Amino acid sequence: MKAHYDDIAGQYAAYANASPTRRVELRTMQHMVGDVTGRSVLDLACGFGFYGGAMLLAGAASAHGVDQSPEMVAIGRRVSATAGDAMTFQVSDFLQLAPVRVYDLAVAAFLFNYAQSLDELARMAAAAFEHVRAGGRIAVETMNPDYCLADGDCSKYGVRVLDDVPWQQGARMEIEFPGDPPARITVFRWAREHYEDAFVQAGFTDLVWQAPCLLEQDRLAQPAGYWDDLLRNGLAAWFSCTKP
């Protein structure tokens, strides 16, 4: 599981902060996790700590971010210091993270799409299970299992899909972020039933897929029809589940 974000950390952070879909993505994650007041949050593949910081602003008692990229974590620490929040960070490969603490809530935005096989997806789901307390939840944002490149490359939303080809039981995608030069990453797209099987086998229950939380204010802020492709053939999909 290797994302190679060190060389593009600043470029990715600039893209993410400017992304027109960012508010929709955050609102969707917040809808899945519900009231976080007083809860402990683990932000997996935290990048620069966007979701963990947002959970703190919403009343979480603590937020701890884990990412394997030292450069992304360095940016996260600077962002946290500027914001004056109490988010903590750790550089670690998720699969090598020792379960020394369990959390009320885990959030994982674009982590599980780095699983290069169904076996790795199962190992990642099982590892996540170890970090969530009984009765806690995990909220996941990943590549849309139903995405089809022939129906659009998503460039209108600030990121472009260059390729989407069969890979084992799923698909391998090449994605480009804006910059000079543009930055490319490779991710993997798995079917809904693959995610469901992996997380149920890990021990999670009550898995629910979540549509993007698009509000009227989002529609009014953009030209008519701007969000149609996001709803019809967007890059992201969301689900949450519970540890019994």
Side-chain angles (χ1 to χ4, degrees):
M1 186 176 63
K2 191 68 173 175
H4 301 299
Y5 273 90
D6 279 345
D7 293 337
I8 63 168
Q11 190 171 341
Y12 175 79
Y15 149 74
N17 283 327
S19 171
T21 65
R22 189 56 127 174
R23 284 184 292 181
V24 176
E25 294 176 81
L26 174 59
R27 190 184 302 120
T28 305
M29 291 287 267
Q30 290 177 319
H31 177 78
M32 290 193 296
V33 302
D35 185 7
V36 298
T37 303
R39 304 179 76 184
S40 58
V41 176
L42 176 63
D43 187 353
L44 294 168
C46 67
F48 55 93
F50 175 77
Y51 285 103
M55 299 301 165
L56 287 173
L57 282 175
S62 65
H64 182 62
V66 177
D67 198 287
Q68 67 178 7
S69 167
E71 291 299 323
M72 291 299 289
V73 167
I75 294 173
R77 287 176 172 145
R78 292 196 295 270
V79 170
S80 179
T82 299
D85 64 37
M87 187 167 177
T88 57
F89 293 86
Q90 177 180 354
V91 177
S92 178
D93 185 316
F94 164 58
L95 290 177
Q96 298 175 1
L97 182 64
V100 295
R101 178 183 176 187
V102 291
Y103 295 79
D104 298 318
L105 171 68
V107 293
F110 297 116
L111 166 64
F112 293 98
N113 47 267
Y114 288 107
Q116 298 186 31
S117 68
L118 293 183
D119 286 343
E120 187 171 24
L121 180 62
R123 290 196 302 273
M124 292 169 70
F129 187 82
E130 296 300 316
H131 298 287
V132 179
R133 69 162 179 84
R137 292 181 63 75
I138 183 170
V140 174
E141 181 179 9
T142 191
M143 306 313 298
N144 181 6
D146 305 319
Y147 174 78
C148 178
L149 178 55
D151 291 335
D153 66 6
C154 293
S155 56
K156 69 188 293 184
Y157 303 121
V159 60
R160 182 184 176 200
V161 180
L162 302 175
D163 204 8
D164 182 51
V165 297
W167 172 269
Q168 299 180 19
Q169 297 96 322
R172 184 184 66 199
M173 307 176 72
E174 296 293 328
I175 296 176
E176 184 177 79
F177 297 107
D180 187 18
R184 296 183 181 183
I185 62 170
T186 301
V187 294
F188 299 87
R189 186 165 55 81
W190 303 105
R192 291 176 188 264
E193 57 265 30
H194 293 150
Y195 280 104
E196 291 164 3
D197 288 347
F199 279 77
V200 169
Q201 289 174 14
F204 288 104
T205 61
D206 304 321
L207 190 150
V208 177
W209 291 90
Q210 174 64 48
C213 294
L214 194 68
L215 301 181
E216 185 63 20
Q217 66 195 50
D218 301 313
R219 299 182 188 277
L220 293 174
Q222 298 289 350
Y226 178 84
W227 297 108
D228 291 354
D229 289 334
L230 180 78
L231 298 174
R232 178 184 57 85
N233 189 46
L235 269 183
W238 297 263
F239 66 87
S240 63
C241 46
T242 301
K243 179 173 180 175

